[in-house]
Amino acid sequence: MITAAQLRAARALLGIDQRRLAELSSLSVPTIQRMEASDGVIRGNVDSLMKLVGALDSAGIELIAENAASQGGGRGIRLKAPAESETVAPASLPSGNGA
């Protein structure tokens, strides 16, 4: 399973746009757009999901399931489960403009 947030993050780590991901996965740009606009886990036909995951894997992305250990080496990031009392809204994150 892959979430829309994982997909957007993977694309950002690769430094590619939706059009390039569509080319790599042999999917249409509207399909990639729909997947990225999903809430939570991406739903779609199995063939499209397999193409997407395969393309990300070939490009060097390791998808890590929740509570799973990463088997590969290399750099990466992972979201921690937020504590019940702390939630961070995307708008409250730093803007990245030198702060």
Side-chain angles (χ1 to χ4, degrees), residues 91-99:
S92 67
L93 294 175
S95 64
N97 55 0

Side-chain angles (χ1 to χ4, degrees), residues 60-75:
I61 295 294
E62 177 186 2
L63 296 172
I64 306 169
E66 190 170 341
N67 298 319
S70 172
Q71 300 302 312
R75 297 180 186 189

Side-chain angles (χ1 to χ4, degrees), residues 6-68:
Q6 282 178 305
L7 177 54
R8 291 187 302 270
R11 197 168 53 75
L13 285 170
L14 293 171
I16 61 175
D17 61 13
Q18 290 176 335
R19 181 177 310 275
R20 181 66 181 135
L21 181 57
E23 291 168 359
L24 293 172
S25 61
S26 300
L27 297 171
S28 69
V29 173
T31 296
I32 298 297
Q33 290 170 334
R34 264 193 315 277
M35 288 176 166
E36 287 193 3
S38 300
D39 282 335
V41 174
I42 295 172
R43 300 183 194 277
N45 71 48
V46 174
D47 184 53
S48 294
L49 292 172
M50 295 302 292
K51 285 180 179 181
L52 176 68
V53 170
L56 293 174
D57 183 66
S58 293
I61 295 294
E62 177 186 2
L63 296 172
I64 306 169
E66 190 170 341
N67 298 319

